[in-house]
Amino acid sequence: MRIIVCGFGTVAQSLAKLLVSRSDDLYAKYGIMPRIVGAFDTHGGAVDQSGLDLSRLVDVKKKYGSIKNYDKSKKLDGLDIIKNIDADVLIETTASNYKDAEPGMSHITNAMKLGMHVISVNKGPLAIAFPSLMELAVYNQVQFRFSGTVGGGTPILNYAKSSLQGEQITSFAGILNGTTNYILTNMARGMSFSQALKDAKSRGYVEADESLDLDGFDAAAKLVILANWIMGMKVTMPDIKRTGIRKVTLDDVKKAAKKKMAIKLIASCNKDLEVSPKEIPLEDPLCVNGTLNAISFTSEHSGTQTIIGKGAGGTETASAILRDLLDIRKEILRA
C-alpha cells in the first residue's frame, strides 16, 4: 500500500517507527507492505515512489526540524504531493483546527476526490463537517477511518461499533480529555487550578492553544465524532452545549469530595449533546484519575459497559492508525 502522510509531528514519527519495527510481521500476518511514498510538514516535503527511508526521514526531522531536508533538490508543497503522487491511502496527522479545519480539510477532500482512502487523527475536519465528509467518501467509493481521533490507542469507536454490534446504544457519557482529567485529579489532591494547570503544562499535557483543552473544544470534537459514528446523528460542533473547567474552584472540588464525589469534565449524549464539569460518584467506573479516558455506553439489553484507557500519546495513536490501515486493507480485499 502506497501512503502519503500529512504532517510529520509526534504521531507521524511514531507511525514511521512502528512501520519499520513491524514490517516483517505485517507482511507475514497480513500480507501488507506499507510504503510511505510522500510526506510533508509545514516547511516542505519528501517523495519517493519506491518508498521513503523511514528511519532517515525521522532522523532528518529530528536534526533539521523539517523533512524538507530529506531531498534538498525538490521544493514540495503538501497539496502538490497529494495531487501528483500516486498513492492508495492518505494519513492526515496535522493539528486540529476548529475554526475552518484547514489545512486538514483540503488534504482530506482532495485525496478523496482523487480516489484515495483516508485515515485521519486530525479531529478538526470531522468536528466541523463529519456528515459531508462521510457523503464524500461514499460518493468517491473510498474508505474513511478515524479511530485515533477518540481515545488514542484505546479502541473506543471500534468497541462501540463492533463489540456492541446488534445492540441499540441509547446513551453514552465519558471523560474524553486527559489533560482536564489530570488537572481535576490534582485539584482533588489539594492543588489550586493555576497550580494544576502549571504542572500539566510542565509535563507537556496541554495543547499549545490551552483553550482547546480547558474550554472543552477537544472533548466537544470527540463527542461530535462519537454521536455521528455510533448514534447515527448528523451533528457538528455548534450542536454541542459546551462548558470548560476554568470556573471549577478548589472549594467546588472539596465540597464534592465531602459527598464522596469527584468533579470531572463529562461529554454526554443523552437527549442533549453536552460537555461540562459534573459530579461523579467515586465508586463509578467512569471516575478515573490522571490522564486516563473512560467512556460508558448504555445499551438497550446489555446495560452499561465502560471502557478505560490512555487517551493520547504518539505510539498509542500510531497504533490506532495501523489498526485503521489493516481495516482498509480488509475492506479492499472484500470488495
mmCIF file of all heavy atoms in Angstrom, residues 56-92:
data_model
loop_
_atom_site.group_PDB
_atom_site.id
_atom_site.type_symbol
_atom_site.label_atom_id
_atom_site.label_comp_id
_atom_site.label_asym_id
_atom_site.label_seq_id
_atom_site.Cartn_x
_atom_site.Cartn_y
_atom_site.Cartn_z
ATOM 1 N N ARG A 56 15.549 7.302 8.099
ATOM 2 C CA ARG A 56 16.242 8.524 7.698
ATOM 3 C C ARG A 56 15.300 9.726 7.791
ATOM 4 O O ARG A 56 15.701 10.824 8.203
ATOM 5 C CB ARG A 56 16.761 8.378 6.268
ATOM 6 C CG ARG A 56 17.612 9.565 5.830
ATOM 7 C CD ARG A 56 18.306 9.359 4.508
ATOM 8 N NE ARG A 56 18.582 10.661 3.926
ATOM 9 C CZ ARG A 56 18.184 11.074 2.737
ATOM 10 N NH1 ARG A 56 17.498 10.278 1.964
ATOM 11 N NH2 ARG A 56 18.484 12.271 2.295
ATOM 12 N N LEU A 57 14.045 9.513 7.429
ATOM 13 C CA LEU A 57 13.047 10.585 7.491
ATOM 14 C C LEU A 57 12.905 11.113 8.924
ATOM 15 O O LEU A 57 12.887 12.321 9.157
ATOM 16 C CB LEU A 57 11.698 10.048 6.989
ATOM 17 C CG LEU A 57 10.671 11.052 6.471
ATOM 18 C CD1 LEU A 57 11.203 11.800 5.244
ATOM 19 C CD2 LEU A 57 9.369 10.340 6.123
ATOM 20 N N VAL A 58 12.831 10.195 9.889
ATOM 21 C CA VAL A 58 12.724 10.576 11.306
ATOM 22 C C VAL A 58 13.989 11.305 11.764
ATOM 23 O O VAL A 58 13.922 12.321 12.468
ATOM 24 C CB VAL A 58 12.463 9.330 12.189
ATOM 25 C CG1 VAL A 58 12.554 9.680 13.675
ATOM 26 C CG2 VAL A 58 11.092 8.726 11.882
ATOM 27 N N ASP A 59 15.150 10.815 11.330
ATOM 28 C CA ASP A 59 16.431 11.444 11.702
ATOM 29 C C ASP A 59 16.527 12.870 11.148
ATOM 30 O O ASP A 59 16.987 13.777 11.847
ATOM 31 C CB ASP A 59 17.611 10.606 11.183
ATOM 32 C CG ASP A 59 17.781 9.304 11.942
ATOM 33 O OD1 ASP A 59 17.219 9.195 13.055
ATOM 34 O OD2 ASP A 59 18.447 8.384 11.420
ATOM 35 N N VAL A 60 16.095 13.044 9.900
ATOM 36 C CA VAL A 60 16.133 14.373 9.262
ATOM 37 C C VAL A 60 15.219 15.345 10.009
ATOM 38 O O VAL A 60 15.591 16.492 10.270
ATOM 39 C CB VAL A 60 15.738 14.277 7.764
ATOM 40 C CG1 VAL A 60 15.465 15.661 7.180
ATOM 41 C CG2 VAL A 60 16.829 13.583 6.962
ATOM 42 N N LYS A 61 14.045 14.878 10.375
ATOM 43 C CA LYS A 61 13.094 15.724 11.125
ATOM 44 C C LYS A 61 13.706 16.150 12.458
ATOM 45 O O LYS A 61 13.597 17.312 12.870
ATOM 46 C CB LYS A 61 11.785 14.950 11.361
ATOM 47 C CG LYS A 61 10.746 15.692 12.192
ATOM 48 C CD LYS A 61 10.086 16.827 11.437
ATOM 49 C CE LYS A 61 8.991 17.478 12.262
ATOM 50 N NZ LYS A 61 8.283 18.535 11.530
ATOM 51 N N LYS A 62 14.341 15.196 13.120
ATOM 52 C CA LYS A 62 14.944 15.466 14.424
ATOM 53 C C LYS A 62 16.098 16.463 14.294
ATOM 54 O O LYS A 62 16.249 17.379 15.099
ATOM 55 C CB LYS A 62 15.452 14.154 15.028
ATOM 56 C CG LYS A 62 15.543 14.161 16.548
ATOM 57 C CD LYS A 62 15.765 12.762 17.091
ATOM 58 C CE LYS A 62 14.489 11.962 17.063
ATOM 59 N NZ LYS A 62 14.615 10.619 17.646
ATOM 60 N N LYS A 63 16.889 16.297 13.252
ATOM 61 C CA LYS A 63 18.091 17.128 13.075
ATOM 62 C C LYS A 63 17.775 18.547 12.589
ATOM 63 O O LYS A 63 18.317 19.529 13.076
ATOM 64 C CB LYS A 63 19.043 16.446 12.089
ATOM 65 C CG LYS A 63 20.385 17.134 11.960
ATOM 66 C CD LYS A 63 21.324 16.338 11.069
ATOM 67 C CE LYS A 63 22.680 17.031 10.927
ATOM 68 N NZ LYS A 63 23.588 16.273 10.022
ATOM 69 N N TYR A 64 16.843 18.661 11.606
ATOM 70 C CA TYR A 64 16.597 19.957 10.973
ATOM 71 C C TYR A 64 15.249 20.591 11.358
ATOM 72 O O TYR A 64 14.976 21.733 11.006
ATOM 73 C CB TYR A 64 16.654 19.815 9.442
ATOM 74 C CG TYR A 64 17.998 19.363 8.929
ATOM 75 C CD1 TYR A 64 18.198 18.048 8.524
ATOM 76 C CD2 TYR A 64 19.076 20.255 8.838
ATOM 77 C CE1 TYR A 64 19.421 17.612 8.040
ATOM 78 C CE2 TYR A 64 20.308 19.837 8.355
ATOM 79 C CZ TYR A 64 20.478 18.512 7.961
ATOM 80 O OH TYR A 64 21.693 18.100 7.481
ATOM 81 N N GLY A 65 14.383 19.831 12.014
ATOM 82 C CA GLY A 65 13.072 20.364 12.364
ATOM 83 C C GLY A 65 12.064 20.295 11.240
ATOM 84 O O GLY A 65 10.920 20.723 11.382
ATOM 85 N N SER A 66 12.487 19.773 10.089
ATOM 86 C CA SER A 66 11.587 19.611 8.947
ATOM 87 C C SER A 66 12.092 18.481 8.055
ATOM 88 O O SER A 66 13.302 18.242 7.976
ATOM 89 C CB SER A 66 11.507 20.899 8.126
ATOM 90 O OG SER A 66 10.790 20.667 6.919
ATOM 91 N N ILE A 67 11.157 17.817 7.383
ATOM 92 C CA ILE A 67 11.588 16.736 6.475
ATOM 93 C C ILE A 67 11.916 17.261 5.083
ATOM 94 O O ILE A 67 12.296 16.504 4.199
ATOM 95 C CB ILE A 67 10.531 15.615 6.382
ATOM 96 C CG1 ILE A 67 9.167 16.179 5.944
ATOM 97 C CG2 ILE A 67 10.394 14.885 7.702
ATOM 98 C CD1 ILE A 67 8.131 15.095 5.659
ATOM 99 N N LYS A 68 11.790 18.584 4.874
ATOM 100 C CA LYS A 68 12.127 19.135 3.548
ATOM 101 C C LYS A 68 13.601 18.895 3.217
ATOM 102 O O LYS A 68 13.984 18.848 2.059
ATOM 103 C CB LYS A 68 11.806 20.628 3.477
ATOM 104 C CG LYS A 68 12.725 21.520 4.295
ATOM 105 C CD LYS A 68 12.458 22.977 4.037
ATOM 106 C CE LYS A 68 13.428 23.855 4.817
ATOM 107 N NZ LYS A 68 13.253 25.276 4.555
ATOM 108 N N ASN A 69 14.426 18.716 4.257
ATOM 109 C CA ASN A 69 15.853 18.473 4.046
ATOM 110 C C ASN A 69 16.171 17.034 3.625
ATOM 111 O O ASN A 69 17.311 16.693 3.377
ATOM 112 C CB ASN A 69 16.645 18.805 5.315
ATOM 113 C CG ASN A 69 16.579 20.284 5.656
ATOM 114 O OD1 ASN A 69 15.575 20.748 6.184
ATOM 115 N ND2 ASN A 69 17.609 21.037 5.330
ATOM 116 N N TYR A 70 15.148 16.179 3.565
ATOM 117 C CA TYR A 70 15.346 14.796 3.126
ATOM 118 C C TYR A 70 15.882 14.784 1.696
ATOM 119 O O TYR A 70 16.766 14.013 1.350
ATOM 120 C CB TYR A 70 14.022 14.033 3.196
ATOM 121 C CG TYR A 70 14.111 12.572 2.802
ATOM 122 C CD1 TYR A 70 14.335 11.587 3.765
ATOM 123 C CD2 TYR A 70 13.932 12.172 1.477
ATOM 124 C CE1 TYR A 70 14.399 10.253 3.415
ATOM 125 C CE2 TYR A 70 13.995 10.834 1.116
ATOM 126 C CZ TYR A 70 14.228 9.874 2.087
ATOM 127 O OH TYR A 70 14.296 8.552 1.737
ATOM 128 N N ASP A 71 15.319 15.661 0.868
ATOM 129 C CA ASP A 71 15.776 15.791 -0.519
ATOM 130 C C ASP A 71 15.779 17.266 -0.879
ATOM 131 O O ASP A 71 14.750 17.826 -1.232
ATOM 132 C CB ASP A 71 14.869 14.998 -1.463
ATOM 133 C CG ASP A 71 15.381 15.010 -2.901
ATOM 134 O OD1 ASP A 71 16.320 15.778 -3.191
ATOM 135 O OD2 ASP A 71 14.840 14.251 -3.726
ATOM 136 N N LYS A 72 16.941 17.891 -0.761
ATOM 137 C CA LYS A 72 17.038 19.344 -0.936
ATOM 138 C C LYS A 72 16.825 19.800 -2.380
ATOM 139 O O LYS A 72 16.628 20.970 -2.638
ATOM 140 C CB LYS A 72 18.396 19.835 -0.427
ATOM 141 C CG LYS A 72 18.551 19.677 1.080
ATOM 142 C CD LYS A 72 19.926 20.109 1.536
ATOM 143 C CE LYS A 72 20.100 19.812 3.020
ATOM 144 N NZ LYS A 72 21.437 20.134 3.510
ATOM 145 N N SER A 73 16.851 18.859 -3.312
ATOM 146 C CA SER A 73 16.715 19.249 -4.721
ATOM 147 C C SER A 73 15.265 19.551 -5.103
ATOM 148 O O SER A 73 15.001 20.133 -6.135
ATOM 149 C CB SER A 73 17.246 18.131 -5.629
ATOM 150 O OG SER A 73 16.445 16.972 -5.505
ATOM 151 N N LYS A 74 14.320 19.134 -4.254
ATOM 152 C CA LYS A 74 12.909 19.330 -4.589
ATOM 153 C C LYS A 74 12.228 20.241 -3.572
ATOM 154 O O LYS A 74 12.396 20.071 -2.387
ATOM 155 C CB LYS A 74 12.186 17.981 -4.612
ATOM 156 C CG LYS A 74 12.720 17.022 -5.670
ATOM 157 C CD LYS A 74 12.112 15.649 -5.463
ATOM 158 C CE LYS A 74 12.738 14.642 -6.426
ATOM 159 N NZ LYS A 74 12.391 13.274 -6.099
ATOM 160 N N LYS A 75 11.440 21.186 -4.063
ATOM 161 C CA LYS A 75 10.630 22.013 -3.168
ATOM 162 C C LYS A 75 9.180 21.590 -3.367
ATOM 163 O O LYS A 75 8.618 21.806 -4.438
ATOM 164 C CB LYS A 75 10.831 23.499 -3.483
ATOM 165 C CG LYS A 75 12.219 23.982 -3.086
ATOM 166 C CD LYS A 75 12.308 25.476 -3.055
ATOM 167 C CE LYS A 75 13.678 25.909 -2.548
ATOM 168 N NZ LYS A 75 13.840 27.366 -2.524
ATOM 169 N N LEU A 76 8.625 20.986 -2.328
ATOM 170 C CA LEU A 76 7.324 20.367 -2.488
ATOM 171 C C LEU A 76 6.272 20.916 -1.533
ATOM 172 O O LEU A 76 6.502 20.998 -0.333
ATOM 173 C CB LEU A 76 7.455 18.851 -2.270
ATOM 174 C CG LEU A 76 8.421 18.145 -3.236
ATOM 175 C CD1 LEU A 76 8.903 16.847 -2.644
ATOM 176 C CD2 LEU A 76 7.749 17.898 -4.566
ATOM 177 N N ASP A 77 5.143 21.273 -2.089
ATOM 178 C CA ASP A 77 4.005 21.743 -1.314
ATOM 179 C C ASP A 77 3.085 20.551 -1.024
ATOM 180 O O ASP A 77 2.992 19.620 -1.826
ATOM 181 C CB ASP A 77 3.263 22.809 -2.144
ATOM 182 C CG ASP A 77 1.936 23.185 -1.536
ATOM 183 O OD1 ASP A 77 1.935 23.894 -0.514
ATOM 184 O OD2 ASP A 77 0.903 22.768 -2.071
ATOM 185 N N GLY A 78 2.410 20.592 0.138
ATOM 186 C CA GLY A 78 1.564 19.473 0.547
ATOM 187 C C GLY A 78 0.521 19.074 -0.469
ATOM 188 O O GLY A 78 0.406 17.908 -0.851
ATOM 189 N N LEU A 79 -0.281 20.040 -0.959
ATOM 190 C CA LEU A 79 -1.326 19.718 -1.928
ATOM 191 C C LEU A 79 -0.749 19.239 -3.251
ATOM 192 O O LEU A 79 -1.360 18.407 -3.937
ATOM 193 C CB LEU A 79 -2.251 20.920 -2.147
ATOM 194 C CG LEU A 79 -3.298 21.165 -1.045
ATOM 195 C CD1 LEU A 79 -4.081 22.440 -1.327
ATOM 196 C CD2 LEU A 79 -4.247 19.984 -0.889
ATOM 197 N N ASP A 80 0.446 19.748 -3.615
ATOM 198 C CA ASP A 80 1.117 19.265 -4.834
ATOM 199 C C ASP A 80 1.433 17.779 -4.719
ATOM 200 O O ASP A 80 1.259 17.017 -5.665
ATOM 201 C CB ASP A 80 2.428 20.032 -5.079
ATOM 202 C CG ASP A 80 2.183 21.448 -5.581
ATOM 203 O OD1 ASP A 80 1.066 21.696 -6.086
ATOM 204 O OD2 ASP A 80 3.081 22.285 -5.462
ATOM 205 N N ILE A 81 1.907 17.380 -3.538
ATOM 206 C CA ILE A 81 2.223 15.971 -3.298
ATOM 207 C C ILE A 81 0.951 15.130 -3.417
ATOM 208 O O ILE A 81 0.937 14.087 -4.088
ATOM 209 C CB ILE A 81 2.893 15.782 -1.916
ATOM 210 C CG1 ILE A 81 4.294 16.406 -1.921
ATOM 211 C CG2 ILE A 81 2.970 14.304 -1.534
ATOM 212 C CD1 ILE A 81 4.996 16.399 -0.578
ATOM 213 N N ILE A 82 -0.138 15.586 -2.787
ATOM 214 C CA ILE A 82 -1.401 14.837 -2.826
ATOM 215 C C ILE A 82 -1.905 14.696 -4.263
ATOM 216 O O ILE A 82 -2.358 13.623 -4.678
ATOM 217 C CB ILE A 82 -2.469 15.523 -1.944
ATOM 218 C CG1 ILE A 82 -2.072 15.408 -0.460
ATOM 219 C CG2 ILE A 82 -3.855 14.918 -2.158
ATOM 220 C CD1 ILE A 82 -2.885 16.281 0.482
ATOM 221 N N LYS A 83 -1.813 15.770 -5.044
ATOM 222 C CA LYS A 83 -2.363 15.768 -6.401
ATOM 223 C C LYS A 83 -1.478 15.071 -7.429
ATOM 224 O O LYS A 83 -1.966 14.612 -8.462
ATOM 225 C CB LYS A 83 -2.623 17.214 -6.847
ATOM 226 C CG LYS A 83 -3.787 17.871 -6.116
ATOM 227 C CD LYS A 83 -3.910 19.342 -6.490
ATOM 228 C CE LYS A 83 -5.069 19.996 -5.737
ATOM 229 N NZ LYS A 83 -5.147 21.451 -6.000
ATOM 230 N N ASN A 84 -0.166 14.988 -7.156
ATOM 231 C CA ASN A 84 0.754 14.485 -8.189
ATOM 232 C C ASN A 84 1.454 13.172 -7.883
ATOM 233 O O ASN A 84 2.118 12.615 -8.756
ATOM 234 C CB ASN A 84 1.813 15.557 -8.494
ATOM 235 C CG ASN A 84 1.180 16.825 -9.056
ATOM 236 O OD1 ASN A 84 0.461 16.768 -10.042
ATOM 237 N ND2 ASN A 84 1.425 17.956 -8.420
ATOM 238 N N ILE A 85 1.322 12.671 -6.663
ATOM 239 C CA ILE A 85 1.978 11.414 -6.317
ATOM 240 C C ILE A 85 0.930 10.297 -6.227
ATOM 241 O O ILE A 85 -0.077 10.452 -5.543
ATOM 242 C CB ILE A 85 2.742 11.534 -4.970
ATOM 243 C CG1 ILE A 85 3.814 12.617 -5.047
ATOM 244 C CG2 ILE A 85 3.340 10.198 -4.552
ATOM 245 C CD1 ILE A 85 4.932 12.356 -6.034
ATOM 246 N N ASP A 86 1.176 9.200 -6.932
ATOM 247 C CA ASP A 86 0.239 8.065 -6.889
ATOM 248 C C ASP A 86 0.276 7.404 -5.516
ATOM 249 O O ASP A 86 1.340 6.975 -5.058
ATOM 250 C CB ASP A 86 0.615 7.026 -7.964
ATOM 251 C CG ASP A 86 0.261 7.510 -9.371
ATOM 252 O OD1 ASP A 86 -0.674 8.315 -9.482
ATOM 253 O OD2 ASP A 86 0.926 7.086 -10.328
ATOM 254 N N ALA A 87 -0.881 7.322 -4.866
ATOM 255 C CA ALA A 87 -0.957 6.684 -3.547
ATOM 256 C C ALA A 87 -2.329 6.057 -3.357
ATOM 257 O O ALA A 87 -3.299 6.430 -4.024
ATOM 258 C CB ALA A 87 -0.683 7.704 -2.450
ATOM 259 N N ASP A 88 -2.401 5.091 -2.459
ATOM 260 C CA ASP A 88 -3.656 4.401 -2.158
ATOM 261 C C ASP A 88 -4.348 4.994 -0.936
ATOM 262 O O ASP A 88 -5.574 4.980 -0.842
ATOM 263 C CB ASP A 88 -3.386 2.905 -1.882
ATOM 264 C CG ASP A 88 -2.600 2.258 -3.009
ATOM 265 O OD1 ASP A 88 -3.128 2.224 -4.128
ATOM 266 O OD2 ASP A 88 -1.456 1.813 -2.766
ATOM 267 N N VAL A 89 -3.528 5.461 0.020
ATOM 268 C CA VAL A 89 -4.061 5.935 1.307
ATOM 269 C C VAL A 89 -3.418 7.257 1.701
ATOM 270 O O VAL A 89 -2.202 7.423 1.557
ATOM 271 C CB VAL A 89 -3.811 4.896 2.429
ATOM 272 C CG1 VAL A 89 -4.381 5.397 3.763
ATOM 273 C CG2 VAL A 89 -4.404 3.538 2.082
ATOM 274 N N LEU A 90 -4.237 8.176 2.215
ATOM 275 C CA LEU A 90 -3.724 9.420 2.793
ATOM 276 C C LEU A 90 -3.917 9.345 4.299
ATOM 277 O O LEU A 90 -5.003 9.000 4.769
ATOM 278 C CB LEU A 90 -4.483 10.620 2.242
ATOM 279 C CG LEU A 90 -4.011 11.958 2.849
ATOM 280 C CD1 LEU A 90 -3.192 12.733 1.838
ATOM 281 C CD2 LEU A 90 -5.173 12.809 3.321
ATOM 282 N N ILE A 91 -2.865 9.659 5.048
ATOM 283 C CA ILE A 91 -2.961 9.695 6.513
ATOM 284 C C ILE A 91 -2.796 11.145 6.964
ATOM 285 O O ILE A 91 -1.756 11.755 6.741
ATOM 286 C CB ILE A 91 -1.900 8.778 7.169
ATOM 287 C CG1 ILE A 91 -2.130 7.322 6.744
ATOM 288 C CG2 ILE A 91 -1.950 8.907 8.693
ATOM 289 C CD1 ILE A 91 -1.070 6.354 7.236
ATOM 290 N N GLU A 92 -3.844 11.689 7.570
ATOM 291 C CA GLU A 92 -3.887 13.103 7.974
ATOM 292 C C GLU A 92 -3.591 13.242 9.469
ATOM 293 O O GLU A 92 -4.372 12.812 10.307
ATOM 294 C CB GLU A 92 -5.269 13.667 7.618
ATOM 295 C CG GLU A 92 -5.609 15.004 8.230
ATOM 296 C CD GLU A 92 -4.594 16.092 7.955
ATOM 297 O OE1 GLU A 92 -4.181 16.257 6.790
ATOM 298 O OE2 GLU A 92 -4.212 16.765 8.920
#
